[in-house]
Amino acid sequence: MGVPLNRESLVERLVDARHEQHLSIRRAASLAKVPASTAQGWFEGRHLPTPALMPNFLTLLEELGLVSDDVERDEWQRAVTLMRTNVIIEESPYVGLRSYEP
């Protein structure tokens, strides 16, 4: 099926796999060795794993059956990194940082 290309498809894959494995959020967090709130944020798409938590996230993917070898681990890591870096802000939320205009 390949790796997800956006946050929505990532969340869908994670939630489907968690339901197939009959795992609670707490159990999934325990397997990944992260707080339940962190795992819940991943499953809801509120945030993506940070570089420091990427090994924990990849462990979770293995437990969910989404990753089975090093090639797949690398693909997922690249996809999540791309999702983290492709955030585009159209306009600065801070008035002082907006460009000057006539």
Side-chain angles (χ1 to χ4, degrees), residues 52-65:
L53 290 178
M54 188 57 73
N56 303 73
F57 183 72
L58 293 171
T59 299
L60 177 61
L61 293 178
E62 287 176 14
E63 295 293 336
L64 294 174

Side-chain angles (χ1 to χ4, degrees), residues 15-95:
V15 170
D16 289 347
R18 184 175 68 83
H19 288 154
E20 286 176 15
Q21 297 291 328
H22 305 288
L23 293 175
S24 67
I25 297 282
R26 287 188 185 275
R27 179 66 182 139
S30 172
L31 293 170
K33 296 183 174 94
V34 296
S37 60
T38 299
Q40 185 170 5
W42 294 343
F43 284 112
E44 292 176 353
R46 282 186 287 130
H47 55 262
L48 295 168
T50 62
L53 290 178
M54 188 57 73
N56 303 73
F57 183 72
L58 293 171
T59 299
L60 177 61
L61 293 178
E62 287 176 14
E63 295 293 336
L64 294 174
L66 295 172
V67 170
S68 60
D69 60 31
D70 288 339
V71 172
E72 289 178 342
R73 286 174 63 91
D74 291 344
E75 289 175 355
W76 275 82
Q77 187 166 357
R78 272 193 297 277
V80 170
T81 300
L82 233 126
M83 285 180 221
R84 289 184 62 76
T85 58
N86 281 341
V87 176
I88 298 172
I89 299 174
E90 293 295 324
E91 185 176 337
S92 174
Y94 305 105
V95 176

